[in-house]
Amino acid sequence: MTTILVTGSSRGIGAATAKALSERPGVRVLGHGTKSSIAADLSQPQEAARLWAAALAEAGGAIDILVNNAGIFEPNPLDADDWLENWARTMQVNLTASAELCRLAVLHWRERGVGGRIVNIASRAAYRGDSPAHWHYAASKGGMVAMTKTIARGYAAEGILAFAVCPGFTMTGMADDYLASRGGDKLLADIPLGRVASPEEVAATVRFLCTDAPPSMTGAVLDVNGASYVR
């Protein structure tokens, strides 16, 4: 049995990923969300470690794959009085909590003497940037990509593999409001495919990286953005 911890599995990409993975024979998915059986508020510094411990206990002491999907996408205008606070909150949820979970996963696998896989859900913004109100979001996702590559290079010899997925706009609750606020038609015109990605498309990519991607792909970053940014 392969046990996979998926953070942010209550909705959107996380829910689609948990569903796609659970449909594979021999896979057990542990879902995290603020309202799930493994609940944790990753905006609080101590919660990532508590989440890992709770998931490990529920798994019976062994987790094989970590999918870091939990994240927030909140505007932070330059003239906001709480700009620095908003920056720190996004970094904590999107990058620092993911980093701590990656660290705990790598330590867990090294202690067990086995390999494992990490799939980090980053964003097109890591490479293309984002709106003036989303410096913090782009920076957090750029950090996630750099972290993924570092883990891949550092631990491949031990069978610990790391991948990242960079979606563009995805039709989740988080993206819907942003599309509307920025003028949906104009944004769609910037996507050659003519539509935003579905959560199921991103989930299919994550499932491949978790279960089928060959080890030599470690360090890869896969884009799912309808050719709105190519590199």
Side-chain angles (χ1 to χ4, degrees), residues 124 128 168-171 175-176 178-180 182-198 225-228:
R124 176 187 73 173
R128 173 173 154 152
F169 285 111
T170 305
M171 195 49 70
D176 288 345
Y178 185 67
L179 279 169
R182 296 290 302 281
D185 291 342
K186 182 178 179 180
L187 285 178
L188 289 176
D190 191 40
I191 304 174
L193 186 62
R195 62 171 177 82
V196 298
S198 70
N225 64 45
S228 60

Side-chain angles (χ1 to χ4, degrees), residues 81-103:
D81 292 336
D82 54 354
W83 189 89
L84 192 58
E85 179 182 336
N86 295 336
W87 175 281
R89 170 177 158 80
T90 289
M91 288 296 172
Q92 168 60 36
V93 175
N94 291 5
L95 182 58
T96 304
S98 294
E100 186 164 9
L101 288 168
C102 286
R103 170 180 170 269

Side-chain angles (χ1 to χ4, degrees), residues 195-218:
R195 62 171 177 82
V196 298
S198 70
E200 290 73 23
E201 288 177 302
V202 181
T205 307
V206 176
R207 181 177 60 188
F208 167 72
L209 294 174
C210 286
T211 61
D212 297 314
S216 289
M217 276 190 67
T218 190

Side-chain angles (χ1 to χ4, degrees), residues 45-170:
Q46 72 279 5
E47 288 290 277
R50 191 181 69 77
L51 166 61
W52 180 261
L56 204 57
E58 185 167 325
I63 293 173
D64 304 293
I65 299 171
L66 168 66
V67 178
N68 274 314
N69 167 73
I72 56 175
F73 184 77
E74 300 171 342
N76 192 24
L78 291 180
D79 57 358
D81 292 336
D82 54 354
W83 189 89
L84 192 58
E85 179 182 336
N86 295 336
W87 175 281
R89 170 177 158 80
T90 289
M91 288 296 172
Q92 168 60 36
V93 175
N94 291 5
L95 182 58
T96 304
S98 294
E100 186 164 9
L101 288 168
C102 286
R103 170 180 170 269
L104 292 169
V106 170
L107 289 171
H108 172 62
W109 296 326
R110 297 183 90 187
E111 181 181 355
R112 293 175 60 207
V114 301
R117 294 189 178 214
I118 293 169
V119 180
N120 289 321
I121 310 302
S123 169
R124 176 187 73 173
Y127 291 100
R128 173 173 154 152
D130 212 291
S131 79
H134 292 89
W135 289 11
H136 53 338
Y137 180 79
S140 70
K141 295 302 186 177
M144 178 174 270
V145 168
M147 176 177 70
T148 302
K149 294 179 178 181
T150 301
I151 293 169
R153 289 177 55 82
Y155 305 102
E158 299 174 64
I160 297 172
L161 313 178
F163 312 91
V165 179
C166 284
F169 285 111
T170 305

